[in-house]
Amino acid sequence: MALRIYNTLTSKKEELVPVRPGEISIYNCGPTVYNFFHVGNARNFIVIDAIRRYLEWKGFKVKLAQNITDVDDKIIKKASAEGRTPGEVAREFTAYYFEDLEKLGVRKADVNPKATEHIKEMQDLISVLIGKGFAYEQNGDVYFSVEKAKAAGYGKLSHKNIEELEAGARIDVNEQKNSPLDFALWKKDKNEGISWDSPWGKGRPGWHTECCVMSAKYLGLPFDIHAGGIDLVFPHHENELAQAEAAYGSTEKFAKYWLHNGHLNIRGQKMSKSLNNSLMARDIMMTMNSGVIRFFLLSAHYRSPLDWTEENVASAVAGYNELRYTLSRAALALDKPAVEGGSPDAVLLEKGKAMEEAFVSAMDDDFNTASAIAALFTCASEIKNSIKKKDFVLNAQNREVLKLAAAKLASLGGALGFRLETEDLSAEALALAAEREKARKIKDFKASDELRAKLDKLGYIAEDSRMGQMVFKK
RNA sequence: GGCGGCAUAGCCAAGUGGUAAGGCAGCGGUCUGCAAAACCGCGAUUCCUCGGUUCAAAUCCGAGUGCCGCCUCCA
């Protein structure tokens, strides 16, 4: 079945046909490094990470570029408030960004280009735009003329038209622009501690040029998917598209599919500075397994809004653990030697196959992770069912079937970035577990309970079942 | 004011014409040294409301209501 993806540009689900067969190139708008990133940002990173992993799981060669905006108003503002240089602020939070991504279990992009390292390329693009008549210089600033892009259909990505935008536009007092809709490609230096020489004098690049330049440089033109948060559709991506179109000739020569993820709310409210309700991913990870965060963020379709509430998060904790523990239980069963007799468990084998089909068709339909996760649960419950069934005999054949089912669950989970495999216990936990096993054999339950408490403190859960003791990481 | 989206059980959430996936929570039971987990059983005669199209609609059309996003920095 064909892989379909919702394209913001056409407002339709389209078949994903890569520019280069077998390869998929993705450009995701990365962070502006002026602060730690919050769970809302994390949603974007994790959604893209899951899409990337799934595509790779399907056999595509994926190239992901995720930029770092390290020159920007917000960085300059923060630097000046703290008496530091913009460069210092950017470097600090770039380091935190990579640290937090790793903790979140998000794989690093293939390239992480920085705006400040592509000033020359941006200037070249601006020169081209001026040469083609799409941009004009005004006292050291350079602006893009939206009016000139009208013929090319400016507004088509965000589905707005110029007249409406003009009607709603704010009048800026210090405006040098010919039209309020025009946007800055190059901003004249105002002694903010960060500037470069240019044909138009000292200054720094404007908002939307970097992605234009860096996507082309690292992915080649055209490339497949241009992604980002829904709020970037306008004006960022609209303006970026206008520039690319003006410079390269047409939309088709830039990005083929535009993908935007919905926002994450906090208890029904938009995350914002004024409400002081931003949850930093870094803080949450202090108390929460990163897998739970991923599970929660993938539990809704990526384009739907999602609400972070205590209840919803608790639900994710329980659900995610259920998947993990299933594999621990399967591993425990597989720990025992095979026995003779019994008949093959045909149901499990069949269900494993059906589950993969359900998973793939969910993901192929515009990366429906919510539905794909449901398929994981179906598989998990079949595994548990089999182990528990009275007539299930762990003969050599069923051992293989169970192994396959468990491997399948791990593999499909992995395609979304979940690490469901049983984690190895620390030496200390292993020793405590062995001790507890002994205590239980001689029915010294007092000692057994104490050992369970000790394991709990170390972050392990000890469960007793018919098959024996199970100890696994919380 | 303009543009766009959404409305499915207590909560989350799939489902775009064929008779309501899945998860969490809850209740009853089995199991258990305990605990937890697990397993079995139980939930929407119905998908915001009202009309319409159709043999058939949560799914299509129209009207209404409510919520949200964007139009300004924002993932």
Short mmCIF file of all heavy atoms in Angstrom, two decimals, chain A residues 40-41 74 164 207 229 232 264 270 312 322 329 368 388 449 452 464, chain B residues 2-3 11 14-15 24 33-39 70 73-75:
data_model
loop_
_atom_site.label_atom_id
_atom_site.label_comp_id
_atom_site.label_asym_id
_atom_site.label_seq_id
_atom_site.Cartn_x
_atom_site.Cartn_y
_atom_site.Cartn_z
N GLY A 40 6.61 21.08 24.20
CA GLY A 40 5.99 21.38 22.92
C GLY A 40 7.01 21.26 21.79
O GLY A 40 6.74 20.66 20.75
N ASN A 41 8.20 21.77 22.04
CA ASN A 41 9.27 21.60 21.06
C ASN A 41 9.60 20.12 20.93
O ASN A 41 9.83 19.61 19.84
CB ASN A 41 10.54 22.33 21.50
CG ASN A 41 10.33 23.82 21.65
OD1 ASN A 41 9.85 24.49 20.75
ND2 ASN A 41 10.64 24.35 22.80
N LYS A 74 15.53 37.14 19.79
CA LYS A 74 15.35 36.62 21.15
C LYS A 74 16.70 36.34 21.83
O LYS A 74 16.87 36.55 23.02
CB LYS A 74 14.50 35.34 21.12
CG LYS A 74 13.06 35.59 20.70
CD LYS A 74 12.20 34.36 20.83
CE LYS A 74 12.50 33.30 19.79
NZ LYS A 74 12.19 33.68 18.41
N GLU A 164 -6.31 40.24 2.37
CA GLU A 164 -6.71 40.04 3.76
C GLU A 164 -5.57 40.35 4.72
O GLU A 164 -5.77 40.93 5.78
CB GLU A 164 -7.14 38.59 3.99
CG GLU A 164 -8.53 38.30 3.51
CD GLU A 164 -8.73 36.82 3.23
OE1 GLU A 164 -7.83 36.03 3.56
OE2 GLU A 164 -9.77 36.48 2.66
N TRP A 207 14.84 36.82 9.26
CA TRP A 207 14.26 35.58 9.80
C TRP A 207 14.26 34.37 8.90
O TRP A 207 14.52 33.26 9.34
CB TRP A 207 12.79 35.84 10.17
CG TRP A 207 12.59 36.94 11.12
CD1 TRP A 207 13.49 37.38 12.06
CD2 TRP A 207 11.43 37.76 11.26
NE1 TRP A 207 12.96 38.40 12.77
CE2 TRP A 207 11.70 38.66 12.30
CE3 TRP A 207 10.21 37.80 10.61
CZ2 TRP A 207 10.76 39.61 12.70
CZ3 TRP A 207 9.28 38.73 11.00
CH2 TRP A 207 9.56 39.63 12.04
N GLY A 229 6.58 23.10 13.33
CA GLY A 229 5.35 23.26 14.11
C GLY A 229 4.33 24.05 13.31
O GLY A 229 4.68 24.82 12.42
N LEU A 232 4.57 27.72 12.45
CA LEU A 232 5.56 28.20 11.50
C LEU A 232 5.00 28.39 10.10
O LEU A 232 5.64 29.00 9.24
CB LEU A 232 6.75 27.24 11.43
CG LEU A 232 7.58 27.10 12.70
CD1 LEU A 232 8.76 26.18 12.46
CD2 LEU A 232 8.09 28.47 13.16
N LEU A 264 1.13 21.46 21.50
CA LEU A 264 0.86 20.82 22.78
C LEU A 264 0.37 21.90 23.74
O LEU A 264 1.01 22.94 23.88
CB LEU A 264 2.16 20.20 23.32
CG LEU A 264 2.02 19.51 24.67
CD1 LEU A 264 1.38 18.14 24.50
CD2 LEU A 264 3.35 19.37 25.36
N LYS A 270 -2.59 27.23 26.14
CA LYS A 270 -1.42 27.35 25.29
C LYS A 270 -0.20 27.61 26.18
O LYS A 270 -0.31 28.30 27.19
CB LYS A 270 -1.65 28.55 24.36
CG LYS A 270 -0.56 28.78 23.37
CD LYS A 270 -0.91 29.95 22.48
CE LYS A 270 0.35 30.40 21.77
NZ LYS A 270 0.07 31.20 20.60
N ASN A 312 -3.78 12.60 31.80
CA ASN A 312 -3.34 12.06 30.52
C ASN A 312 -1.94 11.48 30.60
O ASN A 312 -1.62 10.47 29.99
CB ASN A 312 -3.38 13.14 29.43
CG ASN A 312 -4.79 13.61 29.15
OD1 ASN A 312 -5.75 13.00 29.62
ND2 ASN A 312 -4.92 14.68 28.39
N GLU A 322 3.01 -1.04 30.40
CA GLU A 322 2.35 -2.27 29.99
C GLU A 322 3.09 -2.90 28.80
O GLU A 322 3.32 -4.10 28.76
CB GLU A 322 0.90 -1.95 29.61
CG GLU A 322 0.03 -3.14 29.37
CD GLU A 322 0.08 -4.13 30.53
OE1 GLU A 322 0.09 -3.67 31.70
OE2 GLU A 322 0.14 -5.34 30.26
N ARG A 329 8.13 -10.03 30.49
CA ARG A 329 7.48 -11.31 30.81
C ARG A 329 7.81 -12.36 29.76
O ARG A 329 8.06 -13.52 30.10
CB ARG A 329 5.97 -11.11 30.87
CG ARG A 329 5.60 -10.26 32.04
CD ARG A 329 4.11 -10.30 32.34
NE ARG A 329 3.89 -9.48 33.50
CZ ARG A 329 3.56 -8.19 33.44
NH1 ARG A 329 3.38 -7.61 32.28
NH2 ARG A 329 3.44 -7.49 34.54
N ASN A 368 -0.03 7.69 11.32
CA ASN A 368 -1.02 7.65 12.39
C ASN A 368 -0.48 6.84 13.57
O ASN A 368 -0.77 5.66 13.73
CB ASN A 368 -2.31 7.04 11.86
CG ASN A 368 -3.46 7.27 12.81
OD1 ASN A 368 -3.25 7.41 14.02
ND2 ASN A 368 -4.67 7.31 12.28
N LYS A 388 0.01 -17.25 29.11
CA LYS A 388 -0.89 -17.56 30.21
C LYS A 388 -1.78 -18.77 29.93
O LYS A 388 -2.22 -19.45 30.83
CB LYS A 388 -1.76 -16.32 30.44
CG LYS A 388 -2.30 -16.23 31.83
CD LYS A 388 -3.78 -16.15 31.77
CE LYS A 388 -4.34 -16.52 33.14
NZ LYS A 388 -5.76 -16.60 33.08
N ASP A 449 10.23 -9.24 51.45
CA ASP A 449 9.61 -7.92 51.33
C ASP A 449 10.62 -6.79 51.52
O ASP A 449 10.54 -5.75 50.87
CB ASP A 449 8.46 -7.77 52.33
CG ASP A 449 7.25 -8.61 51.92
OD1 ASP A 449 7.24 -9.08 50.77
OD2 ASP A 449 6.35 -8.80 52.76
N ARG A 452 12.46 -6.45 48.37
CA ARG A 452 11.65 -5.79 47.36
C ARG A 452 11.71 -4.27 47.56
O ARG A 452 11.82 -3.50 46.62
CB ARG A 452 10.20 -6.26 47.40
CG ARG A 452 9.33 -5.46 46.45
CD ARG A 452 8.15 -6.21 45.92
NE ARG A 452 7.27 -6.66 46.97
CZ ARG A 452 6.35 -7.62 46.84
NH1 ARG A 452 6.20 -8.22 45.69
NH2 ARG A 452 5.60 -7.97 47.84
N ASP A 464 6.11 -11.19 41.54
CA ASP A 464 6.14 -12.64 41.63
C ASP A 464 5.01 -13.19 40.77
O ASP A 464 3.91 -12.67 40.78
CB ASP A 464 5.93 -13.08 43.08
CG ASP A 464 6.98 -12.47 43.97
OD1 ASP A 464 8.16 -12.51 43.57
OD2 ASP A 464 6.63 -11.92 45.03
P G B 2 -15.74 38.22 9.02
OP1 G B 2 -16.76 38.13 7.94
OP2 G B 2 -15.85 37.37 10.22
"O5'" G B 2 -14.31 37.98 8.37
"C5'" G B 2 -13.98 38.56 7.10
"C4'" G B 2 -12.59 38.14 6.72
"O4'" G B 2 -11.66 38.58 7.74
"C3'" G B 2 -12.37 36.63 6.68
"O3'" G B 2 -12.80 36.07 5.44
"C2'" G B 2 -10.86 36.53 6.85
"O2'" G B 2 -10.17 36.86 5.66
"C1'" G B 2 -10.63 37.61 7.90
N9 G B 2 -10.70 37.08 9.27
C8 G B 2 -11.72 37.23 10.18
N7 G B 2 -11.48 36.64 11.32
C5 G B 2 -10.24 36.05 11.15
C6 G B 2 -9.46 35.27 12.05
O6 G B 2 -9.72 34.94 13.20
N1 G B 2 -8.26 34.86 11.46
C2 G B 2 -7.86 35.18 10.19
N2 G B 2 -6.69 34.69 9.81
N3 G B 2 -8.57 35.91 9.34
C4 G B 2 -9.74 36.31 9.89
P C B 3 -13.41 34.59 5.45
OP1 C B 3 -13.94 34.37 4.08
OP2 C B 3 -14.28 34.43 6.62
"O5'" C B 3 -12.12 33.69 5.64
"C5'" C B 3 -11.10 33.66 4.64
"C4'" C B 3 -9.92 32.89 5.14
"O4'" C B 3 -9.39 33.51 6.34
"C3'" C B 3 -10.22 31.47 5.62
"O3'" C B 3 -10.35 30.55 4.55
"C2'" C B 3 -9.00 31.19 6.46
"O2'" C B 3 -7.85 30.93 5.68
"C1'" C B 3 -8.83 32.52 7.19
N1 C B 3 -9.53 32.53 8.49
C2 C B 3 -8.92 31.90 9.58
O2 C B 3 -7.81 31.36 9.41
N3 C B 3 -9.55 31.88 10.78
C4 C B 3 -10.74 32.47 10.91
N4 C B 3 -11.32 32.44 12.10
C5 C B 3 -11.39 33.12 9.82
C6 C B 3 -10.75 33.12 8.64
P C B 11 -15.18 12.89 29.99
OP1 C B 11 -15.33 14.35 29.88
OP2 C B 11 -15.72 12.02 28.94
"O5'" C B 11 -13.63 12.56 30.16
"C5'" C B 11 -12.77 13.39 30.92
"C4'" C B 11 -11.37 12.88 30.81
"O4'" C B 11 -11.32 11.51 31.30
"C3'" C B 11 -10.82 12.75 29.40
"O3'" C B 11 -10.36 13.99 28.90
"C2'" C B 11 -9.70 11.76 29.59
"O2'" C B 11 -8.58 12.33 30.22
"C1'" C B 11 -10.36 10.77 30.56
N1 C B 11 -11.04 9.68 29.84
C2 C B 11 -10.24 8.66 29.28
O2 C B 11 -9.02 8.72 29.43
N3 C B 11 -10.84 7.64 28.62
C4 C B 11 -12.16 7.62 28.48
N4 C B 11 -12.71 6.60 27.80
C5 C B 11 -12.99 8.65 29.01
C6 C B 11 -12.39 9.65 29.67
P A B 14 -6.72 10.71 17.24
OP1 A B 14 -5.62 11.38 16.51
OP2 A B 14 -8.08 11.30 17.26
"O5'" A B 14 -6.81 9.20 16.76
"C5'" A B 14 -7.23 8.92 15.51
"C4'" A B 14 -7.24 7.42 15.33
"O4'" A B 14 -7.85 6.75 16.45
"C3'" A B 14 -8.13 7.04 14.15
"O3'" A B 14 -7.38 7.17 12.96
"C2'" A B 14 -8.48 5.60 14.47
"O2'" A B 14 -7.43 4.74 14.14
"C1'" A B 14 -8.65 5.67 15.98
N9 A B 14 -10.03 5.91 16.41
C8 A B 14 -10.55 7.01 17.04
N7 A B 14 -11.83 6.91 17.32
C5 A B 14 -12.18 5.65 16.83
C6 A B 14 -13.39 4.94 16.83
N6 A B 14 -14.51 5.41 17.34
N1 A B 14 -13.39 3.72 16.25
C2 A B 14 -12.25 3.25 15.73
N3 A B 14 -11.05 3.83 15.68
C4 A B 14 -11.08 5.03 16.26
P G B 15 -7.93 8.13 11.85
OP1 G B 15 -6.95 8.09 10.76
OP2 G B 15 -8.33 9.42 12.45
"O5'" G B 15 -9.24 7.36 11.41
"C5'" G B 15 -9.15 6.02 10.92
"C4'" G B 15 -10.49 5.37 11.02
"O4'" G B 15 -10.91 5.32 12.41
"C3'" G B 15 -11.64 6.11 10.34
"O3'" G B 15 -11.68 5.77 8.96
"C2'" G B 15 -12.85 5.54 11.06
"O2'" G B 15 -13.22 4.27 10.57
"C1'" G B 15 -12.32 5.41 12.49
N9 G B 15 -12.68 6.58 13.29
C8 G B 15 -11.91 7.67 13.57
N7 G B 15 -12.53 8.56 14.31
C5 G B 15 -13.79 8.01 14.52
C6 G B 15 -14.91 8.51 15.23
O6 G B 15 -15.01 9.58 15.85
N1 G B 15 -15.98 7.63 15.19
C2 G B 15 -15.97 6.42 14.54
N2 G B 15 -17.10 5.71 14.61
N3 G B 15 -14.94 5.94 13.87
C4 G B 15 -13.89 6.78 13.90
P C B 24 -4.35 -0.13 29.54
OP1 C B 24 -3.20 -0.75 30.22
OP2 C B 24 -5.62 -0.87 29.37
"O5'" C B 24 -4.70 1.25 30.27
"C5'" C B 24 -3.65 2.17 30.58
"C4'" C B 24 -4.25 3.41 31.16
"O4'" C B 24 -5.13 4.03 30.18
"C3'" C B 24 -5.17 3.21 32.35
"O3'" C B 24 -4.45 3.00 33.55
"C2'" C B 24 -5.90 4.55 32.36
"O2'" C B 24 -5.10 5.59 32.84
"C1'" C B 24 -6.16 4.75 30.87
N1 C B 24 -7.47 4.22 30.47
C2 C B 24 -8.62 4.95 30.82
O2 C B 24 -8.46 6.03 31.43
N3 C B 24 -9.84 4.49 30.48
C4 C B 24 -9.95 3.34 29.83
N4 C B 24 -11.18 2.93 29.51
C5 C B 24 -8.82 2.56 29.47
C6 C B 24 -7.60 3.02 29.81
P G B 33 0.86 -18.02 47.29
OP1 G B 33 2.28 -18.41 47.29
OP2 G B 33 -0.19 -19.05 47.25
"O5'" G B 33 0.58 -17.06 48.51
"C5'" G B 33 0.11 -17.60 49.75
"C4'" G B 33 0.49 -16.69 50.85
"O4'" G B 33 1.93 -16.71 51.03
"C3'" G B 33 0.21 -15.22 50.60
"O3'" G B 33 -1.15 -14.92 50.87
"C2'" G B 33 1.13 -14.54 51.60
"O2'" G B 33 0.62 -14.59 52.91
"C1'" G B 33 2.37 -15.44 51.50
N9 G B 33 3.37 -14.91 50.58
C8 G B 33 3.81 -15.45 49.41
N7 G B 33 4.75 -14.74 48.82
C5 G B 33 4.94 -13.66 49.68
C6 G B 33 5.83 -12.56 49.59
O6 G B 33 6.65 -12.30 48.70
N1 G B 33 5.68 -11.69 50.67
C2 G B 33 4.80 -11.87 51.70
N2 G B 33 4.81 -10.93 52.63
N3 G B 33 3.97 -12.89 51.80
C4 G B 33 4.10 -13.75 50.77
P C B 34 -1.95 -14.05 49.85
OP1 C B 34 -3.35 -13.98 50.30
OP2 C B 34 -1.62 -14.52 48.49
"O5'" C B 34 -1.27 -12.62 50.06
"C5'" C B 34 -1.44 -11.94 51.32
"C4'" C B 34 -0.48 -10.80 51.38
"O4'" C B 34 0.87 -11.28 51.17
"C3'" C B 34 -0.62 -9.75 50.29
"O3'" C B 34 -1.68 -8.87 50.59
"C2'" C B 34 0.72 -9.05 50.37
"O2'" C B 34 0.80 -8.14 51.45
"C1'" C B 34 1.66 -10.22 50.64
N1 C B 34 2.32 -10.70 49.42
C2 C B 34 3.39 -9.94 48.91
O2 C B 34 3.72 -8.91 49.50
N3 C B 34 4.03 -10.36 47.79
C4 C B 34 3.65 -11.48 47.19
N4 C B 34 4.31 -11.84 46.10
C5 C B 34 2.56 -12.27 47.67
C6 C B 34 1.93 -11.84 48.78
P A B 35 -2.59 -8.41 49.41
OP1 A B 35 -3.63 -7.55 50.00
OP2 A B 35 -2.97 -9.57 48.58
"O5'" A B 35 -1.59 -7.51 48.56
"C5'" A B 35 -1.09 -6.29 49.13
"C4'" A B 35 0.04 -5.78 48.27
"O4'" A B 35 1.12 -6.75 48.25
"C3'" A B 35 -0.28 -5.58 46.80
"O3'" A B 35 -0.98 -4.38 46.57
"C2'" A B 35 1.13 -5.54 46.21
"O2'" A B 35 1.78 -4.31 46.47
"C1'" A B 35 1.81 -6.65 47.01
N9 A B 35 1.73 -7.93 46.31
C8 A B 35 0.80 -8.93 46.46
N7 A B 35 0.99 -9.97 45.67
C5 A B 35 2.11 -9.62 44.95
C6 A B 35 2.84 -10.28 43.94
N6 A B 35 2.51 -11.49 43.48
N1 A B 35 3.91 -9.65 43.42
C2 A B 35 4.23 -8.44 43.88
N3 A B 35 3.63 -7.72 44.83
C4 A B 35 2.58 -8.37 45.32
P A B 36 -2.09 -4.37 45.48
OP1 A B 36 -2.77 -3.07 45.60
OP2 A B 36 -2.87 -5.63 45.53
"O5'" A B 36 -1.24 -4.38 44.13
"C5'" A B 36 -0.43 -3.26 43.80
"C4'" A B 36 0.60 -3.69 42.79
"O4'" A B 36 1.32 -4.83 43.30
"C3'" A B 36 0.07 -4.18 41.45
"O3'" A B 36 -0.26 -3.11 40.60
"C2'" A B 36 1.26 -4.95 40.95
"O2'" A B 36 2.30 -4.12 40.52
"C1'" A B 36 1.69 -5.67 42.22
N9 A B 36 0.97 -6.96 42.36
C8 A B 36 -0.14 -7.22 43.10
N7 A B 36 -0.56 -8.46 43.01
C5 A B 36 0.34 -9.05 42.14
C6 A B 36 0.45 -10.35 41.61
N6 A B 36 -0.39 -11.34 41.92
N1 A B 36 1.46 -10.60 40.76
C2 A B 36 2.30 -9.60 40.44
N3 A B 36 2.30 -8.33 40.87
C4 A B 36 1.30 -8.13 41.72
P A B 37 -1.42 -3.28 39.59
OP1 A B 37 -1.58 -1.98 38.92
OP2 A B 37 -2.57 -3.94 40.23
"O5'" A B 37 -0.80 -4.32 38.54
"C5'" A B 37 0.35 -3.98 37.80
"C4'" A B 37 0.89 -5.23 37.16
"O4'" A B 37 1.17 -6.22 38.19
"C3'" A B 37 -0.07 -5.95 36.23
"O3'" A B 37 -0.07 -5.37 34.95
"C2'" A B 37 0.51 -7.35 36.21
"O2'" A B 37 1.67 -7.42 35.44
"C1'" A B 37 0.88 -7.51 37.69
N9 A B 37 -0.24 -8.06 38.47
C8 A B 37 -1.12 -7.40 39.28
N7 A B 37 -2.01 -8.17 39.85
C5 A B 37 -1.72 -9.43 39.36
C6 A B 37 -2.30 -10.69 39.59
N6 A B 37 -3.35 -10.88 40.38
N1 A B 37 -1.77 -11.74 38.95
C2 A B 37 -0.70 -11.55 38.14
N3 A B 37 -0.06 -10.41 37.86
C4 A B 37 -0.62 -9.39 38.51
P A B 38 -1.34 -5.48 34.06
OP1 A B 38 -1.01 -4.82 32.77
OP2 A B 38 -2.51 -5.03 34.83
"O5'" A B 38 -1.49 -7.04 33.82
"C5'" A B 38 -0.49 -7.73 33.06
"C4'" A B 38 -0.79 -9.20 33.10
"O4'" A B 38 -0.74 -9.68 34.47
"C3'" A B 38 -2.20 -9.57 32.64
"O3'" A B 38 -2.24 -9.67 31.23
"C2'" A B 38 -2.39 -10.93 33.32
"O2'" A B 38 -1.68 -11.94 32.66
"C1'" A B 38 -1.75 -10.66 34.68
N9 A B 38 -2.71 -10.13 35.65
C8 A B 38 -2.85 -8.82 36.06
N7 A B 38 -3.79 -8.65 36.96
C5 A B 38 -4.29 -9.92 37.16
C6 A B 38 -5.31 -10.41 38.00
N6 A B 38 -6.01 -9.63 38.83
N1 A B 38 -5.58 -11.74 37.95
C2 A B 38 -4.86 -12.51 37.13
N3 A B 38 -3.88 -12.17 36.30
C4 A B 38 -3.64 -10.85 36.36
P C B 39 -3.52 -9.28 30.48
OP1 C B 39 -3.17 -9.24 29.05
OP2 C B 39 -4.13 -8.10 31.13
"O5'" C B 39 -4.47 -10.53 30.75
"C5'" C B 39 -4.09 -11.83 30.30
"C4'" C B 39 -5.04 -12.83 30.88
"O4'" C B 39 -4.89 -12.85 32.32
"C3'" C B 39 -6.50 -12.49 30.68
"O3'" C B 39 -6.95 -12.89 29.39
"C2'" C B 39 -7.16 -13.29 31.80
"O2'" C B 39 -7.23 -14.66 31.48
"C1'" C B 39 -6.16 -13.06 32.93
N1 C B 39 -6.49 -11.89 33.75
C2 C B 39 -7.47 -12.03 34.75
O2 C B 39 -8.02 -13.12 34.89
N3 C B 39 -7.79 -10.96 35.51
C4 C B 39 -7.17 -9.80 35.31
N4 C B 39 -7.51 -8.77 36.10
C5 C B 39 -6.17 -9.63 34.31
C6 C B 39 -5.86 -10.69 33.55
P C B 70 -1.90 30.60 17.74
OP1 C B 70 -0.49 30.52 18.16
OP2 C B 70 -2.87 31.45 18.48
"O5'" C B 70 -1.97 31.02 16.21
"C5'" C B 70 -1.13 30.39 15.26
"C4'" C B 70 -1.48 30.88 13.88
"O4'" C B 70 -2.85 30.52 13.59
"C3'" C B 70 -1.49 32.39 13.72
"O3'" C B 70 -0.18 32.92 13.55
"C2'" C B 70 -2.34 32.53 12.46
"O2'" C B 70 -1.63 32.17 11.31
"C1'" C B 70 -3.43 31.51 12.75
N1 C B 70 -4.59 32.12 13.44
C2 C B 70 -5.52 32.82 12.68
O2 C B 70 -5.35 32.91 11.46
N3 C B 70 -6.59 33.39 13.30
C4 C B 70 -6.74 33.28 14.61
N4 C B 70 -7.81 33.85 15.16
C5 C B 70 -5.80 32.57 15.42
C6 C B 70 -4.74 32.02 14.80
P C B 73 6.19 38.53 13.87
OP1 C B 73 6.03 39.68 14.76
OP2 C B 73 6.88 38.67 12.57
"O5'" C B 73 6.93 37.38 14.67
"C5'" C B 73 8.30 37.55 15.04
"C4'" C B 73 8.58 36.81 16.29
"O4'" C B 73 7.71 37.26 17.35
"C3'" C B 73 8.28 35.31 16.28
"O3'" C B 73 9.30 34.60 15.59
"C2'" C B 73 8.31 35.00 17.76
"O2'" C B 73 9.62 34.94 18.25
"C1'" C B 73 7.61 36.25 18.32
N1 C B 73 6.19 35.96 18.62
C2 C B 73 5.89 35.37 19.84
O2 C B 73 6.82 35.12 20.62
N3 C B 73 4.61 35.10 20.14
C4 C B 73 3.64 35.39 19.26
N4 C B 73 2.39 35.10 19.60
C5 C B 73 3.92 35.98 18.00
C6 C B 73 5.21 36.25 17.72
P C B 74 9.01 33.13 15.06
OP1 C B 74 10.31 32.59 14.68
OP2 C B 74 7.94 33.25 14.06
"O5'" C B 74 8.40 32.27 16.26
"C5'" C B 74 9.23 31.36 17.00
"C4'" C B 74 8.46 30.82 18.16
"O4'" C B 74 7.45 31.79 18.51
"C3'" C B 74 7.64 29.55 17.90
"O3'" C B 74 8.30 28.33 18.13
"C2'" C B 74 6.52 29.64 18.92
"O2'" C B 74 6.85 29.09 20.17
"C1'" C B 74 6.34 31.12 19.08
N1 C B 74 5.06 31.63 18.53
C2 C B 74 3.91 31.47 19.32
O2 C B 74 4.01 30.89 20.40
N3 C B 74 2.74 31.96 18.87
C4 C B 74 2.69 32.58 17.70
N4 C B 74 1.51 33.05 17.30
C5 C B 74 3.85 32.74 16.86
C6 C B 74 5.01 32.26 17.32
P A B 75 9.81 28.16 18.87
OP1 A B 75 9.90 28.32 20.31
OP2 A B 75 10.79 28.82 18.01
"O5'" A B 75 9.75 26.59 18.62
"C5'" A B 75 10.43 25.94 17.56
"C4'" A B 75 9.47 24.96 16.96
"O4'" A B 75 8.90 24.17 18.00
"C3'" A B 75 8.28 25.65 16.32
"O3'" A B 75 8.56 26.03 15.01
"C2'" A B 75 7.20 24.58 16.41
"O2'" A B 75 7.29 23.66 15.36
"C1'" A B 75 7.55 23.87 17.71
N9 A B 75 6.71 24.29 18.83
C8 A B 75 6.79 25.42 19.57
N7 A B 75 5.90 25.49 20.53
C5 A B 75 5.18 24.32 20.41
C6 A B 75 4.09 23.79 21.12
N6 A B 75 3.52 24.39 22.15
N1 A B 75 3.61 22.60 20.73
C2 A B 75 4.18 21.99 19.69
N3 A B 75 5.20 22.39 18.94
C4 A B 75 5.67 23.57 19.36
#
